[in-house]
Amino acid sequence: MTETDTPEPGAGGQTGAAPSRRALIGWGGAGLALGAVAAGGAVALAKDDDGADRTDTAGAVEFHGAHQAGIATPVQDRLHFAAFDVKTDDRAEFVQLMKDWTAAARRMTAGRAVGEGAYGGLAEAPPDDTGEALGLPPSRLTLTIGFGPSLFDKFGLKDRRPAALVDLPPFPGDNLDRSRTGGDLCVQACADDPQVAVHAIRNLARIGFGKVAIRWSQLGFGKTSSTTPGAQTPRNLFGFKDGTRNIAGTETGRLEKFVWVGDGDGGAKDAWMHGGSYLVARRIRMQIEVWDRTSLQEQEDVFGRDKGEGAPVGKAKEHDEPFLKAMKPDAHVRLAHPDSNDGITILRRGYSFTDGTDGLGRLDAGLFFLAYQRDPRKGFIPLQRRLSAHDALNEYIQHVGSAVFAIPPGVRDAHDWWGRTLLSEEA
Amino acid sequence: MRAVRLSLVTAVATAAALTSMTACTSKSDASDGDAIQVTAADSTCETSAKTVPAGQVTLKIENKGSKATEVEIVFPDDRIVSEKENIGPGTKYTLTAEIKAGSYEIACRPGMKGHGVRQKLTVTGANAAAKRDPALDQAVAQYRQYAQDQADETVPLAQKFADAIKAGDLEAAKKAYAPSRIGWERTEPVAESFGDIDPKTDTRADGLEQGQKWTGWHRLEKALWQDKKIGAEEKTLADQLVADLKDWQQRVGKAEITPTSMANGAKELLDEVATGKVTGEEDRYSHTDLVDFKANVEGAQKAYELLKPVAEKNDAALTGELDKQFAALNTVLDKYRTDKASYDFVSYDKVGKDQRKELSDAVNALAEPLSKLAAAVAK
């Protein structure tokens, strides 16, 4: 729920082509059938679909890169976000989990089933993959991992905790539910098909049993931000376009300046974070019914925009440069604008959520706010200090969940794995 | 980690079929229709034939001992094919059974207890069942014995529970409730395999089918804790519970148990924990869920430990993980009792949300690798 200044840019992210999950399964299935024939005297062939044709990758986002996908990638329609607690105290076991998760993430983001697939294996054993994404395209699935402050209390990592990974301070008006706050790890799964996103988290959680356990998770059904230039800014559940000026995936310069951790950030100690980022997640409950009884004038005053077009007060178009002084002093846009915050700019990737009703006949709904930044101390924290103290919107919202994560750099290639720069002895 | 299936099952089956074809022409001690004479005494069990053709097999039994005896034909895993109980001293009995080709034993059990005195019996002919690893047969036999022990120990505890109800002693009945369930909960998959016993003894209010009368432990649990009164109906139901459990005790020997069903049974016990106990649904009136929880885990662990020697050869990483997660779950459970030898657990309504989450995480951590045990023994 913040407003930042970014020109709307050109297409970002790496959308390519991939065969459908069904086609790939078919390939794997054929391999298995051959194996069964050969098995009279020998071991069945392992299912190997790494030889599958990769030239056609429609709907798949490249998993490998200098930065993790799912940040600058054009925002997908759906979210399943999960925070995990680490249950093991064995560092080697945790490292192995990171490798196993990376392998599974590599497959799922390419539209492939986990392990040896969802069927065709031993009848006596449960299949490796849970199966609900069979036949669905990759759906631009991205999986992005993060490390929470509490992770650094484990595995002798205390000295590796980056200076920028501070615990978020309490903000006025916070009403945080402990069971929706914090976490040693997070995985953000974004996809254009909700079933693909849910499948990804479910399978990672399953692989993690005994090593990690889900602490909390959040489904998001409607994107509220765009990192694609020219795209309509999606409306939030208050019916407004908010955060119309996001950082675009193609704006390399702004990404370097505001999102990616730079070479010297935090000194040599924090070098492992180079190419990474910091994520702040906030579950923001909206008082939907109260808002809906609010007059149009009040609603528009609160945001500082008109409801129809989304234009700033006194302007004609959504993307017109706002004239902040024309807005009420406590208008959301005015307070969140970089000009009011020494140029602070963050990349937002939030989603609307509705978790049914709250037992009092009211929608349990709001914004699951996700913001990526180079340093929360120069991003979310000062911004939220200001907003939590003055924003007119506070009358209609409440922050009920909160977490912060260090987002390590991207997985470089087929041999690399999530968190290697932090955890590898030879890193 | 995925097990690779060796396509040996078909090969073994084919080989077995070929063997039994030749076996058809081999000589038998007893020809078709000839009865096997079984002479039982207090410490001996003599049989007139060690090999018979498949089909109808007749045992002409004579008890020359001083105690009543029981004669059984059993599979290698101790499952009973056919039996005659209570053959008095000096009496005779003819037992007939339809038997497929394979290896069996004839057991005489003087005094109708214990392992008995045994003789081998080879039944020849077509359609022989594929031979199993003897280590697995032994695991099944030991598990069957465990299941029998649980039933044998449960019946008197259930009787104690029933007696308290019939005496109208509310407090004594409450005290006897959870202990009467431990043996049952340890081996529930075996009891459930009979189909008709579990609905009578262990159904919860929400598990009733239309027209089904609610009987068993949970019906009585509700009377004791929620209604806080014992009427004539409860007294009748208490007797019926004991009768139903005696039926279970009688039938354990005939349960279909295989290494795979043992492994899956262990996983099912954890499923029971995950769906019924962690949520507090099982013992919603008495809140003695942790007693059932512990018993489920013990039963799963027993099945696992009996299968472990075979599973370890096939998948040592899996058994290593299972050892670790069983220990971890037991450690969490131990937080809820002061004396590790007792089944006095904290009332589940006193177990908070965070604590339930911790229990649930530990169950998930164990159940996931446990789901792979069946494949590790089926290889």
Side-chain angles (χ1 to χ4, degrees), chain A residues 268-347:
Chain A
K269 182 180 76 70
D270 294 349
W272 70 271
M273 273 295 289
H274 183 207
S277 187
Y278 294 90
L279 168 65
V280 171
R282 305 280 284 186
R283 188 176 192 269
I284 304 172
R285 170 88 187 264
M286 291 174 167
Q287 311 291 355
I288 297 284
E289 293 77 8
V290 175
W291 176 260
D292 292 347
R293 291 173 204 128
T294 303
S295 72
L296 177 62
Q297 186 62 56
E298 162 85 359
Q299 291 186 6
E300 293 187 336
D301 285 349
V302 163
F303 273 96
R305 293 181 183 281
D306 86 285
K307 198 162 189 177
E309 164 62 25
V313 171
K315 302 284 177 165
K317 291 287 171 197
E318 179 194 336
H319 295 301
D320 287 350
E321 191 55 40
F323 179 57
L324 299 177
K325 286 183 177 158
M327 299 175 185
K328 301 225 164 179
D330 59 357
H332 180 67
V333 168
R334 181 168 177 172
L335 286 169
H337 196 277
D339 288 356
S340 311
N341 294 283
D342 302 324
I344 290 175
T345 304
I346 55 181
L347 183 150

Side-chain angles (χ1 to χ4, degrees), chain B residues 285-354:
Chain B
Y285 314 108
S286 63
H287 307 299
T288 54
D289 304 82
L290 286 176
V291 182
D292 287 12
F293 190 145
K294 179 68 183 175
N296 286 158
V297 174
E298 284 176 337
Q301 192 160 5
K302 180 71 184 183
Y304 161 62
E305 274 163 8
L306 290 172
L307 294 170
K308 187 180 161 186
V310 174
E312 196 167 27
K313 273 188 251 166
N314 292 327
D315 192 344
L318 177 67
T319 53
E321 180 67 13
L322 284 169
D323 285 342
K324 187 173 126 187
Q325 298 299 349
F326 266 116
L329 178 54
N330 282 321
T331 304
V332 177
L333 271 173
D334 279 341
K335 292 185 193 174
Y336 299 94
R337 56 177 177 179
T338 42
D339 175 4
K340 286 186 190 173
S342 97
Y343 285 83
D344 258 337
F345 281 90
V346 170
S347 178
Y348 205 58
D349 57 343
K350 303 281 190 295
V351 177
K353 201 174 153 195
D354 287 355

Side-chain angles (χ1 to χ4, degrees), chain B residues 96-118:
Chain B
T96 56
E98 194 67 31
I99 304 184
K100 289 181 182 168
S103 294
Y104 300 87
E105 284 181 336
I106 292 175
C108 303
R109 298 169 66 214
M112 298 191 292
K113 56 186 181 191
H115 184 72
V117 190
R118 295 181 175 216

